[in-house]
Amino acid sequence: MKTINYPAKASWAEICERPVMEARDLENLVLGIMEKVRDGGDAALLELTRKFDHPEAGEVIWDQARIRAAAAQVDPDLKAAIQRARNNIEAFHRSQWEPIQKIETSPGVTCWRKSLPIERVGLYIPGGTAPLFSTLLMLAVPARIAGASTLVITTPPNKAGEIHPAICFTADLLGVDKIYAAGGAQAIAAMTYGTESVPAVDKIFGPGNQYVTQAKILAQRAGVAMDLPAGPSELLVIADESAQVEFVVADLLSQAEHGTDSQVVLVTDDKALLAALPAELDRQLAALPRKEIAEAALGHSRAVLLRDAAEAVAFSNLYAPEHLILAVADPLAMGEQITNAGSVFLGHYTPESAGDYASGTNHTLPTNGFARNFSGVSLDSFVKKITFQEISREGIQDLGPSIEVMAAAELLQAHKNAVTVRLESLKP
């Protein structure tokens, strides 16, 4: 990791830059893939799957029988862990449901809002270098709670052309009877436009690399909503003298191993912690099966020495991290000062991995600074909210004159007349 000591505030924005492709090049590349699938359907989808994932891919659809056969291979301990995570995620997201509340804003004027499910949702489950069955939990659980009628699940096959058994077990656990073996921007395109096998959807969810994220952005041009810009993964850790370097390094590497385009940042005011960092990184890296991926991510990561906690918080809010760990003596107090973050992990015993898997919060979160204006996935992400209003005879008599005055001031006579004709009809 590159170490930066006491950078001037004028340089902070540059330090906060993510390792992504130049925007125009990325858009053009992904647009070509999207158009190919739009025009070529299943044939194009299979061609791209063979190019990027499995050279002998021959089927797009995995049916329930194939899913269950793969699911049977999962170790019982993993099955139990997935079930426990599912229970926590369900409990947290079910608590987000909003009951209908009818409000009488004026005498005889009643307004309320009703949540209804987005009917057809597409769930993208990363599975290239790591099969993220946890993402299926994070997306399908709230989709089921919301009441979505159609779940379209896409995930890339591995080099052997298989979908990981844990993804299949999770799908079966959640009542998913079909998975589409496709990944990358081509999978997003299939859910955007529809193919002979893959249904088009109303909204696309799921994290991914920068190609997947760009494809989701382009899908919006075709009228398909997306959850948020999510990926590549990133983590910022604020640590003070109370932090343990072993914990800090383990957290940094937990995100660095996601992908070569991931980024991790350590912000501290403790010189001793910073001095201990390189040796501990080397020690833990040596034991990682994904060492090469993590090392590549560390190559564009940062360790930043700042003067105090106030500067650390200001830097973090500028960076707006996907994941933020507060490895400090008083994390609750510091947490109150955080304004931009996808999800915050408080204290020395709250690793980011807990949120990735089983604490209950959602791990599909805004990256690349989008935490300044996006929230992570929640139950709200899977519903649309329709407002209703009902006005009685007495209500229109009471409120109507105010509407007439406002409409006349905006020179919208027909708006005024819609009230006037009603008021006239109620005159004795």
Side-chain angles (χ1 to χ4, degrees):
M1 294 176 67
K2 182 179 180 181
T3 300
I4 305 169
N5 294 329
Y6 305 120
K9 286 190 177 181
S11 68
W12 285 10
E14 182 179 352
I15 298 170
C16 288
E17 290 179 357
R18 273 66 162 184
V20 296
M21 286 180 63
E22 199 281 322
R24 183 59 60 85
D25 293 340
L26 180 62
E27 179 176 334
N28 289 339
L29 178 63
V30 173
L31 184 59
I33 293 172
M34 298 280 285
E35 291 175 342
K36 188 179 184 75
V37 175
R38 180 195 64 194
D39 298 338
D42 276 355
L45 186 60
L46 279 171
E47 179 186 338
L48 290 164
T49 301
R50 290 169 184 151
K51 178 180 179 180
F52 294 119
D53 296 309
H54 178 55
E56 298 178 6
E59 294 179 281
V60 174
I61 300 174
W62 276 47
D63 62 17
Q64 188 174 52
R66 194 172 183 186
I67 291 170
R68 288 183 170 172
Q73 304 171 35
V74 176
D75 179 83
D77 288 344
L78 178 55
K79 289 181 178 180
I82 291 172
Q83 180 65 68
R84 182 173 185 183
R86 181 249 182 111
N87 292 342
N88 287 353
I89 294 163
E90 184 169 320
F92 183 70
H93 288 77
R94 194 173 293 282
S95 73
Q96 297 166 13
W97 189 263
E98 294 182 4
I100 295 174
Q101 295 186 35
K102 293 190 175 184
I103 306 298
E104 190 173 45
T105 58
S106 297
V109 180
T110 306
C111 300
W112 66 96
R113 188 170 72 165
K114 181 180 180 181
S115 296
L116 292 167
I118 297 171
E119 295 178 5
R120 301 175 302 168
V121 298
L123 311 183
Y124 181 80
I125 313 303
T129 61
L132 300 190
F133 58 87
S134 56
T135 297
L136 185 51
L137 287 171
M138 297 293 173
L139 299 179
V141 167
R144 291 294 193 206
I145 294 170
S149 59
T150 301
L151 272 61
V152 178
I153 315 294
T154 64
T155 192
N158 61 23
K159 295 301 181 183
E162 301 292 318
I163 294 175
H164 195 278
I167 291 178
C168 292
F169 170 76
T170 305
D172 191 45
L173 178 68
L174 299 174
V176 174
D177 59 8
K178 195 176 294 182
I179 301 175
Y180 300 92
Q186 59 270 23
I188 304 302
M191 292 188 285
T192 300
Y193 302 111
T195 71
E196 297 90 335
S197 298
V198 184
V201 301
D202 300 313
K203 189 172 182 178
I204 296 174
F205 295 79
N209 59 24
Q210 56 191 311
Y211 305 102
V212 169
T213 298
Q214 182 62 46
K216 288 164 63 180
I217 292 170
L218 292 175
Q220 294 182 111
R221 297 182 187 175
V224 178
M226 72 166 186
D227 51 355
L228 66 155
S233 189
E234 61 193 36
L235 166 70
L236 189 145
V237 178
I238 298 178
D240 63 13
E241 62 182 4
S242 70
Q244 297 186 43
V245 67
E246 182 180 14
F247 291 6
V248 170
V249 167
D251 290 328
L252 294 171
L253 292 178
S254 74
Q255 291 307 290
E257 74 172 354
H258 260 300
T260 57
D261 54 0
S262 297
Q263 186 179 65
V264 294
V265 178
L266 170 64
V267 177
T268 185
D269 58 359
D270 183 28
K271 292 181 180 179
L273 177 68
L274 205 58
L277 190 68
E280 186 62 24
L281 275 171
D282 288 344
R283 187 184 73 80
Q284 292 194 32
L285 265 172
L288 289 183
R290 295 167 67 85
K291 175 183 176 181
E292 292 183 2
I293 292 174
E295 282 183 324
L298 290 175
H300 40 250
S301 296
R302 308 279 186 267
V304 184
L305 180 64
L306 295 175
R307 288 173 176 80
D308 52 35
E311 281 199 349
V313 168
F315 184 94
S316 178
N317 283 332
L318 177 65
Y319 186 84
E322 176 190 20
H323 308 100
L324 171 62
I325 293 178
L326 302 183
V328 297
D330 192 349
L332 286 172
M334 183 175 282
E336 290 300 312
Q337 302 171 55
I338 299 303
T339 56
N340 297 322
S343 191
V344 182
F345 302 78
L346 301 169
H348 301 307
Y349 296 97
T350 313
E352 187 280 329
S353 304
D356 269 353
Y357 291 111
S359 66
T361 62
N362 207 289
H363 78 199
T364 308
L365 302 165
T367 60
N368 200 26
F370 282 104
R372 284 187 287 269
N373 41 42
F374 277 85
S375 304
V377 164
S378 67
L379 185 64
D380 278 352
S381 307
F382 292 90
V383 299
K384 52 186 183 286
K385 298 182 179 183
I386 302 175
T387 56
F388 295 80
Q389 50 259 291
E390 182 180 31
I391 302 177
S392 66
R393 294 164 61 98
E394 295 76 14
I396 195 65
Q397 288 176 314
D398 178 62
L399 185 61
S402 295
I403 299 171
E404 286 181 306
V405 170
M406 294 175 72
E410 290 190 344
L411 307 181
L412 296 175
Q413 187 62 37
H415 280 63
K416 178 177 182 291
N417 288 344
V419 173
T420 302
V421 293
R422 287 171 168 83
L423 295 178
E424 290 292 330
S425 74
L426 293 173
K427 287 182 177 179

